[in-house]
Short mmCIF file of all heavy atoms in Angstrom, two decimals:
data_model
loop_
_atom_site.label_atom_id
_atom_site.label_comp_id
_atom_site.label_asym_id
_atom_site.label_seq_id
_atom_site.Cartn_x
_atom_site.Cartn_y
_atom_site.Cartn_z
N GLN P 1 112.43 174.04 47.69
CA GLN P 1 112.69 175.48 47.85
C GLN P 1 114.09 175.83 47.35
O GLN P 1 114.81 176.62 47.95
CB GLN P 1 112.51 175.89 49.31
CG GLN P 1 111.08 175.69 49.81
CD GLN P 1 110.91 176.03 51.28
OE1 GLN P 1 111.88 176.23 52.03
NE2 GLN P 1 109.66 176.10 51.73
N LEU P 2 114.47 175.26 46.22
CA LEU P 2 115.85 175.36 45.74
C LEU P 2 116.04 176.60 44.87
O LEU P 2 116.54 176.53 43.74
CB LEU P 2 116.22 174.08 44.99
CG LEU P 2 115.93 172.77 45.75
CD1 LEU P 2 116.41 171.57 44.96
CD2 LEU P 2 116.56 172.79 47.15
N SER P 3 115.69 177.73 45.41
CA SER P 3 115.79 179.01 44.71
C SER P 3 116.67 179.95 45.53
O SER P 3 116.39 180.16 46.73
CB SER P 3 114.41 179.65 44.54
OG SER P 3 113.49 178.77 43.95
N PRO P 4 117.69 180.55 44.95
CA PRO P 4 118.52 181.50 45.71
C PRO P 4 117.72 182.67 46.25
O PRO P 4 118.12 183.27 47.25
CB PRO P 4 119.55 181.96 44.68
CG PRO P 4 119.57 180.92 43.63
CD PRO P 4 118.18 180.35 43.57
N THR P 5 116.58 182.97 45.60
CA THR P 5 115.75 184.09 46.04
C THR P 5 114.67 183.68 47.02
O THR P 5 113.78 184.48 47.33
CB THR P 5 115.09 184.75 44.82
OG1 THR P 5 114.31 183.76 44.11
CG2 THR P 5 116.13 185.34 43.88
N ILE P 6 114.72 182.46 47.54
CA ILE P 6 113.70 182.00 48.48
C ILE P 6 113.66 182.95 49.68
O ILE P 6 114.69 183.44 50.15
CB ILE P 6 113.98 180.54 48.92
CG1 ILE P 6 112.76 179.93 49.62
CG2 ILE P 6 115.21 180.44 49.78
CD1 ILE P 6 111.67 179.53 48.69
N SER P 7 112.47 183.21 50.19
CA SER P 7 112.32 184.24 51.22
C SER P 7 113.09 183.93 52.49
O SER P 7 113.51 184.85 53.20
CB SER P 7 110.83 184.45 51.54
OG SER P 7 110.23 183.25 52.00
N SER P 8 113.28 182.65 52.79
CA SER P 8 114.02 182.30 54.02
C SER P 8 115.48 182.73 53.96
O SER P 8 116.14 182.84 55.00
CB SER P 8 113.93 180.80 54.27
OG SER P 8 114.44 180.08 53.16
N LEU P 9 116.01 182.98 52.76
CA LEU P 9 117.41 183.39 52.62
C LEU P 9 117.56 184.86 52.27
O LEU P 9 118.68 185.35 52.08
CB LEU P 9 118.09 182.55 51.53
CG LEU P 9 118.10 181.03 51.71
CD1 LEU P 9 118.83 180.37 50.55
CD2 LEU P 9 118.75 180.64 53.04
N SER P 10 116.45 185.59 52.17
CA SER P 10 116.49 186.94 51.61
C SER P 10 117.34 187.91 52.42
O SER P 10 117.93 188.84 51.87
CB SER P 10 115.07 187.50 51.47
OG SER P 10 114.44 187.59 52.75
N ASP P 11 117.43 187.71 53.74
CA ASP P 11 118.21 188.62 54.58
C ASP P 11 119.36 187.87 55.27
O ASP P 11 119.79 188.25 56.37
CB ASP P 11 117.33 189.32 55.59
CG ASP P 11 116.51 188.34 56.44
OD1 ASP P 11 116.47 187.14 56.11
OD2 ASP P 11 115.88 188.79 57.43
N TYR P 12 119.85 186.83 54.62
CA TYR P 12 120.99 186.08 55.17
C TYR P 12 122.16 187.03 55.40
O TYR P 12 122.46 187.91 54.59
CB TYR P 12 121.40 184.99 54.17
CG TYR P 12 122.64 184.23 54.62
CD1 TYR P 12 122.54 183.06 55.36
CD2 TYR P 12 123.92 184.71 54.30
CE1 TYR P 12 123.68 182.38 55.77
CE2 TYR P 12 125.05 184.03 54.71
CZ TYR P 12 124.93 182.87 55.45
OH TYR P 12 126.05 182.19 55.85
N ARG P 13 122.84 186.81 56.53
CA ARG P 13 124.05 187.58 56.80
C ARG P 13 125.08 186.69 57.48
O ARG P 13 124.76 185.60 57.97
CB ARG P 13 123.73 188.79 57.65
CG ARG P 13 123.10 188.49 58.99
CD ARG P 13 122.66 189.78 59.66
NE ARG P 13 121.97 189.55 60.91
CZ ARG P 13 121.36 190.51 61.59
NH1 ARG P 13 121.37 191.74 61.15
NH2 ARG P 13 120.74 190.23 62.72
N ASP P 14 126.28 187.17 57.50
CA ASP P 14 127.36 186.40 58.12
C ASP P 14 126.99 186.02 59.55
O ASP P 14 126.46 186.85 60.30
CB ASP P 14 128.66 187.21 58.12
CG ASP P 14 129.25 187.36 56.73
OD1 ASP P 14 128.83 186.61 55.84
OD2 ASP P 14 130.12 188.25 56.54
N GLY P 15 127.26 184.78 59.91
CA GLY P 15 126.92 184.26 61.22
C GLY P 15 125.69 183.38 61.20
O GLY P 15 125.48 182.58 62.10
N ASP P 16 124.86 183.55 60.16
CA ASP P 16 123.69 182.68 60.01
C ASP P 16 124.12 181.31 59.49
O ASP P 16 125.21 181.13 58.95
CB ASP P 16 122.68 183.29 59.04
CG ASP P 16 122.00 184.54 59.60
OD1 ASP P 16 122.19 184.81 60.80
OD2 ASP P 16 121.31 185.23 58.84
N LEU P 17 123.23 180.34 59.63
CA LEU P 17 123.51 178.99 59.16
C LEU P 17 122.31 178.47 58.38
O LEU P 17 121.17 178.51 58.88
CB LEU P 17 123.80 178.06 60.34
CG LEU P 17 124.06 176.58 59.98
CD1 LEU P 17 125.36 176.44 59.19
CD2 LEU P 17 124.10 175.73 61.26
N VAL P 18 122.55 178.00 57.17
CA VAL P 18 121.51 177.35 56.38
C VAL P 18 121.55 175.86 56.65
O VAL P 18 122.62 175.24 56.61
CB VAL P 18 121.71 177.61 54.87
CG1 VAL P 18 120.62 176.92 54.06
CG2 VAL P 18 121.74 179.10 54.58
N VAL P 19 120.39 175.29 56.96
CA VAL P 19 120.28 173.86 57.21
C VAL P 19 119.42 173.22 56.11
O VAL P 19 118.34 173.72 55.78
CB VAL P 19 119.66 173.56 58.59
CG1 VAL P 19 119.34 172.08 58.75
CG2 VAL P 19 120.62 174.02 59.69
N MET P 20 119.93 172.14 55.56
CA MET P 20 119.18 171.32 54.63
C MET P 20 119.31 169.88 55.08
O MET P 20 120.37 169.47 55.58
CB MET P 20 119.69 171.49 53.19
CG MET P 20 119.58 172.92 52.67
SD MET P 20 120.19 173.11 50.97
CE MET P 20 118.96 172.16 50.08
N ALA P 21 118.25 169.10 54.90
CA ALA P 21 118.27 167.75 55.45
C ALA P 21 117.46 166.78 54.60
O ALA P 21 116.32 167.08 54.22
CB ALA P 21 117.73 167.75 56.89
N GLU P 22 118.06 165.65 54.31
CA GLU P 22 117.35 164.52 53.71
C GLU P 22 116.83 163.68 54.87
O GLU P 22 117.62 163.20 55.69
CB GLU P 22 118.30 163.68 52.86
CG GLU P 22 118.99 164.45 51.75
CD GLU P 22 120.20 163.73 51.18
OE1 GLU P 22 120.47 162.57 51.59
OE2 GLU P 22 120.88 164.31 50.32
N VAL P 23 115.52 163.52 54.97
CA VAL P 23 114.98 162.81 56.13
C VAL P 23 113.99 161.72 55.68
O VAL P 23 113.24 161.89 54.71
CB VAL P 23 114.30 163.77 57.14
CG1 VAL P 23 115.33 164.70 57.75
CG2 VAL P 23 113.18 164.55 56.52
N HIS P 24 114.01 160.65 56.42
CA HIS P 24 113.19 159.49 56.11
C HIS P 24 111.70 159.84 56.13
O HIS P 24 110.92 159.36 55.30
CB HIS P 24 113.49 158.37 57.11
CG HIS P 24 112.85 157.07 56.78
ND1 HIS P 24 111.64 156.67 57.32
CD2 HIS P 24 113.25 156.06 55.96
CE1 HIS P 24 111.33 155.48 56.85
NE2 HIS P 24 112.28 155.08 56.02
N ALA P 25 111.30 160.68 57.07
CA ALA P 25 109.87 161.00 57.21
C ALA P 25 109.32 161.64 55.94
O ALA P 25 108.20 161.33 55.52
CB ALA P 25 109.66 161.93 58.41
N GLU P 26 110.08 162.53 55.32
CA GLU P 26 109.59 163.21 54.12
C GLU P 26 109.67 162.32 52.88
O GLU P 26 108.92 162.52 51.93
CB GLU P 26 110.38 164.51 53.90
CG GLU P 26 110.12 165.56 54.96
CD GLU P 26 108.64 165.92 55.08
OE1 GLU P 26 108.03 166.27 54.06
OE2 GLU P 26 108.10 165.82 56.20
N ALA P 27 110.56 161.36 52.89
CA ALA P 27 110.67 160.44 51.76
C ALA P 27 109.64 159.32 51.81
O ALA P 27 109.41 158.66 50.79
CB ALA P 27 112.07 159.84 51.70
N THR P 28 109.00 159.13 52.97
CA THR P 28 108.15 157.95 53.14
C THR P 28 106.75 158.25 53.67
O THR P 28 105.98 157.30 53.88
CB THR P 28 108.83 156.94 54.09
OG1 THR P 28 109.05 157.55 55.36
CG2 THR P 28 110.13 156.44 53.52
N TYR P 29 106.38 159.51 53.92
CA TYR P 29 105.00 159.75 54.40
C TYR P 29 104.01 159.27 53.35
O TYR P 29 102.90 158.87 53.67
CB TYR P 29 104.78 161.21 54.77
CG TYR P 29 104.72 162.19 53.64
CD1 TYR P 29 103.51 162.53 53.05
CD2 TYR P 29 105.88 162.78 53.16
CE1 TYR P 29 103.46 163.42 52.00
CE2 TYR P 29 105.84 163.68 52.11
CZ TYR P 29 104.63 163.99 51.53
OH TYR P 29 104.60 164.88 50.49
N VAL P 30 104.41 159.34 52.07
CA VAL P 30 103.90 158.44 51.05
C VAL P 30 105.16 157.83 50.42
O VAL P 30 106.23 158.43 50.45
CB VAL P 30 103.03 159.15 49.99
CG1 VAL P 30 101.76 159.70 50.61
CG2 VAL P 30 103.80 160.22 49.25
N ARG P 31 105.01 156.66 49.82
CA ARG P 31 106.20 155.93 49.35
C ARG P 31 106.59 156.46 47.96
O ARG P 31 106.34 155.83 46.93
CB ARG P 31 105.92 154.44 49.33
CG ARG P 31 105.72 153.86 50.73
CD ARG P 31 105.09 152.49 50.69
NE ARG P 31 105.88 151.51 49.95
CZ ARG P 31 106.88 150.82 50.47
NH1 ARG P 31 107.21 150.97 51.74
NH2 ARG P 31 107.55 149.96 49.73
N HIS P 32 107.26 157.61 47.96
CA HIS P 32 107.56 158.32 46.73
C HIS P 32 108.34 157.45 45.73
O HIS P 32 109.16 156.61 46.10
CB HIS P 32 108.38 159.57 47.03
CG HIS P 32 107.64 160.61 47.79
ND1 HIS P 32 106.61 161.35 47.24
CD2 HIS P 32 107.77 161.05 49.07
CE1 HIS P 32 106.15 162.20 48.14
NE2 HIS P 32 106.83 162.03 49.26
N HIS P 33 108.07 157.71 44.47
CA HIS P 33 108.79 157.09 43.35
C HIS P 33 110.29 157.21 43.58
O HIS P 33 110.80 158.25 43.99
CB HIS P 33 108.39 157.83 42.07
CG HIS P 33 108.74 157.15 40.79
ND1 HIS P 33 110.03 156.85 40.42
CD2 HIS P 33 107.95 156.74 39.75
CE1 HIS P 33 110.02 156.28 39.22
NE2 HIS P 33 108.77 156.20 38.79
N LYS P 34 111.01 156.14 43.30
CA LYS P 34 112.46 156.15 43.52
C LYS P 34 113.13 157.28 42.74
O LYS P 34 114.06 157.93 43.23
CB LYS P 34 113.06 154.80 43.14
CG LYS P 34 112.71 153.67 44.10
CD LYS P 34 113.55 152.43 43.86
CE LYS P 34 113.09 151.62 42.67
NZ LYS P 34 111.82 150.90 42.93
N LYS P 35 112.68 157.51 41.52
CA LYS P 35 113.31 158.56 40.70
C LYS P 35 113.01 159.94 41.28
O LYS P 35 113.84 160.85 41.17
CB LYS P 35 112.80 158.45 39.26
CG LYS P 35 113.59 159.25 38.24
CD LYS P 35 113.34 158.73 36.83
CE LYS P 35 114.07 157.42 36.58
NZ LYS P 35 113.81 156.88 35.22
N LYS P 36 111.85 160.12 41.87
CA LYS P 36 111.51 161.40 42.50
C LYS P 36 112.43 161.68 43.68
O LYS P 36 112.94 162.80 43.84
CB LYS P 36 110.05 161.36 42.97
CG LYS P 36 109.56 162.63 43.65
CD LYS P 36 108.10 162.48 44.08
CE LYS P 36 107.52 163.77 44.64
NZ LYS P 36 106.09 163.62 45.01
N ILE P 37 112.64 160.68 44.52
CA ILE P 37 113.53 160.86 45.68
C ILE P 37 114.94 161.19 45.21
O ILE P 37 115.59 162.10 45.72
CB ILE P 37 113.52 159.61 46.57
CG1 ILE P 37 112.12 159.33 47.12
CG2 ILE P 37 114.52 159.78 47.72
CD1 ILE P 37 112.01 158.02 47.87
N ALA P 38 115.41 160.44 44.22
CA ALA P 38 116.77 160.67 43.71
C ALA P 38 116.90 162.06 43.11
O ALA P 38 117.92 162.76 43.33
CB ALA P 38 117.13 159.61 42.68
N PHE P 39 115.90 162.47 42.35
CA PHE P 39 115.94 163.81 41.76
C PHE P 39 116.05 164.88 42.85
O PHE P 39 116.90 165.78 42.77
CB PHE P 39 114.69 164.04 40.90
CG PHE P 39 114.46 165.48 40.55
CD1 PHE P 39 115.30 166.12 39.64
CD2 PHE P 39 113.43 166.21 41.13
CE1 PHE P 39 115.11 167.47 39.32
CE2 PHE P 39 113.24 167.54 40.82
CZ PHE P 39 114.07 168.17 39.91
N LEU P 40 115.21 164.80 43.86
CA LEU P 40 115.20 165.83 44.89
C LEU P 40 116.45 165.82 45.75
O LEU P 40 117.04 166.87 46.04
CB LEU P 40 113.95 165.70 45.76
CG LEU P 40 112.67 166.23 45.11
CD1 LEU P 40 111.46 165.89 45.97
CD2 LEU P 40 112.75 167.73 44.87
N PHE P 41 116.90 164.65 46.16
CA PHE P 41 118.12 164.59 46.99
C PHE P 41 119.33 165.13 46.21
O PHE P 41 120.14 165.89 46.75
CB PHE P 41 118.38 163.16 47.45
CG PHE P 41 117.52 162.70 48.60
CD1 PHE P 41 116.52 163.49 49.12
CD2 PHE P 41 117.73 161.45 49.17
CE1 PHE P 41 115.73 163.07 50.18
CE2 PHE P 41 116.94 161.00 50.24
CZ PHE P 41 115.95 161.81 50.74
N SER P 42 119.45 164.75 44.94
CA SER P 42 120.58 165.24 44.16
C SER P 42 120.46 166.75 43.92
O SER P 42 121.45 167.48 44.04
CB SER P 42 120.67 164.50 42.83
OG SER P 42 121.81 164.93 42.11
N ALA P 43 119.25 167.21 43.59
CA ALA P 43 119.06 168.65 43.38
C ALA P 43 119.35 169.42 44.67
O ALA P 43 119.93 170.52 44.62
CB ALA P 43 117.64 168.92 42.90
N MET P 44 118.96 168.87 45.82
CA MET P 44 119.24 169.52 47.10
C MET P 44 120.75 169.62 47.33
O MET P 44 121.25 170.68 47.76
CB MET P 44 118.59 168.74 48.23
CG MET P 44 117.07 168.86 48.29
SD MET P 44 116.32 167.67 49.45
CE MET P 44 116.99 168.24 51.03
N ARG P 45 121.47 168.54 47.08
CA ARG P 45 122.93 168.56 47.31
C ARG P 45 123.61 169.56 46.38
O ARG P 45 124.54 170.28 46.80
CB ARG P 45 123.50 167.16 47.12
CG ARG P 45 123.01 166.17 48.17
CD ARG P 45 123.69 164.80 48.04
NE ARG P 45 123.09 163.82 48.94
CZ ARG P 45 123.62 162.63 49.21
NH1 ARG P 45 124.76 162.27 48.64
NH2 ARG P 45 123.01 161.80 50.04
#
């Protein structure tokens, strides 16, 4: 969801907090390709 126009951020205002997280469960519910994990984690950061 790496879009500035994503609906979850559409009405962001001061005082709100955006949370993003790299988590083991999402990287391993299937054993994703190493390059896929690296691409997403770096793009997220």
Side-chain angles (χ1 to χ4, degrees):
Q1 297 177 348
L2 309 183
S3 308
T5 57
I6 194 76
S7 59
S8 58
L9 301 181
S10 62
D11 54 349
Y12 176 93
R13 59 187 176 189
D14 289 345
D16 291 351
L17 178 66
V18 179
V19 171
M20 300 180 67
E22 302 164 4
V23 294
H24 188 265
E26 293 303 306
T28 60
Y29 71 93
V30 295
R31 294 165 59 85
H32 293 290
H33 195 299
K34 289 192 282 288
K35 194 161 285 178
K36 180 180 186 178
I37 299 173
F39 165 71
L40 283 173
F41 282 4
S42 183
M44 288 169 65
R45 294 185 187 192

